[in-house]
Amino acid sequence: MSRREENLNHSDQKGLYRTLAVVALPIALQSLIGSSLNLVDNLMVGSLGEAELNAVGVSVQIYFIHWMVMFGFTSGSSTFMAQFFGAKDLHNIRKTAGFAITVAMSVSILFFTAAMFFPHYVLRIFTRFPEVIDLGVGYVRMAAPAFLFVAINVPLTAALRATQQTKLPLYISGVAFLTNTFLNYLFIFGSLGAPKLGVTGAALATMIARAIEMSLTLIVIFGRKNLIGGRLREFFDFDKEFAVKIIKNAIPTTINETMWGLGTALYIAAFARIGVTEGAAVQACNTINNLFMMAAFSVGDATLILVGQKLGEGKLEYAYYLAKKLVRISLIIGICAGSGLILCGKPLLSLFDFTQTGAEYAFWILVVYGCTMWMGIYNATNITGVLRCGGDTRYAMLAEVLAVWCIGVPTAFLTALVLKWPIYFAVLAVRLEDVAKGIALTRRFFSKKWVKNVIRDISDNDTAN
């Protein structure tokens, strides 16, 4: 390949923008829908009071940690699915998805057991206020079956995305969002003759929506003969050697996302221990922040898919220059998203039933999130997109975990509980972990050590260029 071919010329860039729009926009919209679902939950529950909002905030932390475990293992598996797609190897995509479901279900059963039978112990990890724990127990127990539904849906959604069918998960998420919103209205407030369940009603709505989401995914893939659909035994036709290769790549991503999820949950635990008002402010701001942040994270998902496909085709140098372009795009998106968050902060916060003090805390927390968002999106694109698409998952894990646990978590507890800083300064101090992480990731990117084809010895097709 010549130097001209290695670099992205003007024609290449126009094609990249079109492809990026086709792949990333549906992912961004799906993420926006998911974040909007959480916003609707919090708005409806928040109208009941700050204690109820805080209860939902701490209750969902176990579901957040579970989601990160699912995302972590599936993200490691997606490295193979994206590269197999580049090699036009559908059989191994099915095997990878089936193995991911097997592992995800095994882990989800443990989460289901903890939530169903030991909700008090789970909630005590995140809050010290008895009234919040009492309100949260019903939520944790009611939503427990959602763990099992997510274990099936997440790997299959990853397979659809890896094969650039990103619109299908978007449509399915849209149905889940509408279902959840309507059921929230019914069960939280007891509308249209339904029982008034409050916080527990929000959990019931979420559980039903997750069941519908999983069912629709199965129908789309198997009922409508999607290209990744096939005989059931194809999905579970993996042997030990195949499983070991997936596990070696996916264990670091699972540890990465799990430890990041635990660390983020501990940030909330530290901030929630300051007081009920501070905990509610952080919960509301996290929900609003996710509207912008998670949609912008779609660049990372698109990077894994697009660059991973080129690596699977054996076009290693082209993949490097493509990744460089996508990282630059992520910086621009991060700056725009952060600015949008600050501009929209007050109107969105006005939807919550805050005290004057709570509203002030929440506004300054959003300013912190907006000013630092570009760093978070830059780091996420490098970790979930660049490094993972080439199988460099161990370095990504070390960069993430060390930054969160050696800088972020200690800083959260020190500033919140020892130094007793105002909540918005404590939130700002925690962002130091993004600075350290960004330096490490930038050095790794330019080293090119992540530019690898990981399927060369296991694909059913010849991947050599």
Side-chain angles (χ1 to χ4, degrees), residues 1-17 306-307 310 315 317-329:
M1 179 181 286
S2 68
R3 175 62 65 181
R4 178 175 293 181
E5 289 173 320
E6 289 170 0
N7 286 277
L8 294 174
N9 57 38
H10 181 68
S11 177
D12 289 332
Q13 291 190 39
K14 289 180 67 176
L16 169 62
Y17 294 141
L306 299 178
V307 180
K310 295 303 177 185
K315 299 177 180 178
E317 283 298 315
Y318 186 91
Y320 172 75
Y321 288 103
L322 176 59
K324 184 185 290 188
K325 185 69 177 179
L326 289 169
V327 168
R328 288 173 182 166
I329 291 172

Side-chain angles (χ1 to χ4, degrees), residues 70 73-74 77 81 93-109 147-159 214 217-218 221-222 228 232 235-236 238 246:
M70 297 296 101
F73 191 85
T74 303
S77 305
M81 288 191 277
I93 291 176
R94 295 176 188 125
K95 285 166 59 176
T96 305
F99 180 66
I101 290 172
T102 302
V103 174
M105 184 58 71
S106 300
V107 173
S108 296
I109 289 172
F147 289 126
L148 308 180
F149 306 142
V150 168
I152 296 172
N153 192 67
V154 171
L156 292 178
T157 296
M214 178 201 68
T217 300
L218 291 173
I221 291 175
F222 296 102
I228 66 168
L232 195 59
F235 284 80
F236 302 99
F238 48 83
I246 302 292

Side-chain angles (χ1 to χ4, degrees), residues 11 20 23 35 55 71 77 110 124 134 177 193 198 246 333 336 384 394 432-433 435 459:
S11 177
L20 185 61
V23 174
S35 300
F71 175 75
S77 305
L110 299 177
R124 284 172 188 163
D134 291 341
F177 168 74
I246 302 292
I333 291 175
C336 293
T384 65
R394 184 174 179 272
L432 288 173
E433 56 106 344
V435 176
S459 178

